[in-house]
Amino acid sequence: MKFLITKELEYSRLLKHLMAAVLFFILLYLGFDVALHAYVIGAEIQEIALTLFGDRENFVEPMLLDALLLQVHTDLFMTLFALLILTAITIRVHDSKALTMWAVHLVFIVGILAPAILLLAYLLEVSWLVPVWLFTFALWHFVAFILGVSAFKRVLFL
Amino acid sequence: MKNSALYAISVGYILLYTVLILASGVWLFLLSQGLGSASGLLDTLKDIIALPEEKSLRGLIEVATPHLFAMGALIFVVAHFMLFSTTVSKKHALFVALIVFGLALFDIFSYFAISFGWVVSGWLKLTALFAFVSSFMVLLTLVAFSL
C-alpha cells in the first residue's frame, strides 16, 4: 500500500501503468473467482443447497467441513489482498471522499459477510441463508468490479 | 500523507480479515487432528499432545508451501503499516515483526519434527501455533493502536 500512495502520479508514468495493470488483473480475478465458486459450490440456489446439505433421499453426501473451511480460509486471504490493493488505488485516484469512504466500507463488509454466511449456512443447515450468501457473494464482487473499472478509467485518463 | 483517514478504514478491515484468517487456520488444524469427529476441543488438544496424527512428507509440503508464501506476505503487509505509525517506534515495530516472522517459520516447520520422529508428542506444534498466533495478535494490536 505504501508503494501506491507515496509518489505523485503526474510525475510517474511507470507507477500509473503498473496500477492500471494490477487493476486489470484484479478485474480478471473477480470474474474467475465467480466461475471458481460456481464450479466448487454451485451457481444456482438448489445446486448450492445440494453441495452444502447433501440429499439423504438420493444418498448425496454434503461437502466436508474441512473442504468448506479450507475454501473460506483461502477466500478470506485472497479477498484481503484483492481489496487491499483495490481500495488503496481507489482512495488514491478518486476525488469524492464521502462516496469513496462508503464504497470502501461496503466492499470490505460484504466481502467478509459472504464467507461467514456460507459457513453459518453449512453449520446450522439453514437453507434460507443460501440465497443470502449468493446475494452477498455477488454484491461484493459487483461492488469490487465497479470500483476496479472506475479506478482503471481514472488511472488511464489521469 | 493525503487521505490518511480513508486508508485507516482499509487497514482496520485488514486487521479484522487477518484475525478471521488466523481463526479459520487454527480451526482447520484442529479439524485435521480429529476435532468434530468424536471429540471436543479439550480432548482433541490432549490427543494432539499424546498422539498427533501421522502426516506424510507430501502432506506436510502441501501445507507448508502455500503457507510459506501466504504467511510471509501477510506478516509483511500488516507489519508495513507500522511505517505510518507515530505512536510506536520503528525499532519496536521491527522487533515485533521479526519475532512474528520467526514464529511463523517455527509454526510451519514444527510438524516436520513430529513426522520425522524427532519429537513424539504434539506439544511442539501446539506451542508453535499458540506462540505464532499470540505474537501476530500483538502485531495486530500495535497496528490497531497506530491507526
Side-chain angles (χ1 to χ4, degrees), chain A residues 46 59 102 149:
Chain A
Q46 283 184 336
F59 305 104
W102 287 114
V149 170

Side-chain angles (χ1 to χ4, degrees), chain A residues 1-2 5 66 69 73 76-77 80-81 84 87-88 91-92 97 101 104-105 108-109 111-112 119 123, chain B residues 1 3 6-7 9-10 13-14 16-18 20-21 24-25 27-28 31 70 73-74 77 80-81 83-84:
Chain A
M1 185 188 260
K2 183 164 171 78
I5 61 177
D66 310 51
L69 196 57
H73 185 63
L76 282 168
F77 179 78
L80 180 152
F81 272 90
L84 173 69
T87 55
I91 293 167
R92 171 69 191 262
K97 300 305 166 205
M101 184 183 79
V104 169
H105 273 301
F108 269 113
I109 289 171
I112 214 164
L119 205 53
L123 292 172
Chain B
M1 182 172 67
N3 306 322
L6 286 177
Y7 290 115
I9 296 171
S10 290
Y13 283 112
I14 295 305
L16 183 61
Y17 273 67
T18 307
L20 291 179
I21 290 169
S24 57
W27 191 0
L28 265 173
L31 276 178
L74 192 57
V77 167
H80 105 288
F81 293 132
L83 290 170
F84 304 108

Side-chain angles (χ1 to χ4, degrees), chain A residues 116-130:
Chain A
I117 289 171
L118 182 66
L119 205 53
L120 267 182
Y122 178 87
L123 292 172
L124 303 176
E125 289 191 47
V126 181
S127 57
W128 61 263
L129 279 175
V130 171

Side-chain angles (χ1 to χ4, degrees), chain B residues 65-81:
Chain B
T65 307
H67 282 94
L68 280 169
F69 166 73
M71 285 159 88
L74 192 57
I75 296 165
F76 166 76
V77 167
V78 172
H80 105 288
F81 293 132

Side-chain angles (χ1 to χ4, degrees), chain A:
Chain A
M1 185 188 260
K2 183 164 171 78
F3 310 115
L4 298 176
I5 61 177
T6 45
K7 274 188 175 278
E8 285 301 324
L9 286 185
E10 291 82 354
Y11 304 113
S12 178
R13 278 174 57 82
L14 173 64
L15 186 58
K16 193 171 148 176
H17 286 97
L18 290 178
M19 282 163 67
V22 77
L23 282 171
F24 181 71
F25 271 71
I26 288 173
L27 289 172
L28 276 180
Y29 162 73
L30 290 170
F32 272 77
D33 194 45
V34 172
L36 176 72
H37 281 78
Y39 277 116
V40 175
I41 294 166
E44 292 172 6
I45 291 174
Q46 283 184 336
E47 200 184 339
I48 299 163
L50 190 68
T51 308
L52 294 181
F53 313 129
D55 185 354
R56 288 193 183 97
E57 287 178 12
N58 293 307
F59 305 104
V60 179
E61 289 288 321
M63 190 179 194
L64 287 173
L65 176 59
D66 310 51
L68 184 71
L69 196 57
L70 183 61
Q71 185 67 50
V72 166
H73 185 63
T74 314
D75 282 350
L76 282 168
F77 179 78
M78 298 301 289
T79 309
L80 180 152
F81 272 90
L83 293 186
L84 173 69
I85 297 168
L86 189 61
T87 55
I89 297 176
T90 300
I91 293 167
R92 171 69 191 262
V93 297
H94 279 291
D95 299 325
S96 172
K97 300 305 166 205
L99 193 64
T100 306
M101 184 183 79
W102 287 114
V104 169
H105 273 301
L106 179 67
V107 78
F108 269 113
I109 289 171
V110 187
I112 214 164
L113 275 180
I117 289 171
L118 182 66
L119 205 53
L120 267 182
Y122 178 87
L123 292 172
L124 303 176
E125 289 191 47
V126 181
S127 57
W128 61 263
L129 279 175
V130 171
V132 179
W133 171 73
L134 198 57
F135 174 73
T136 50
F137 179 79
L139 183 62
W140 96 250
H141 281 78
F142 178 72
V143 177
F145 196 82
I146 296 294
L147 285 178
V149 170
S150 157
F152 189 70
K153 279 167 61 182
R154 296 277 302 185
V155 167
L156 282 185
F157 301 112
L158 206 68

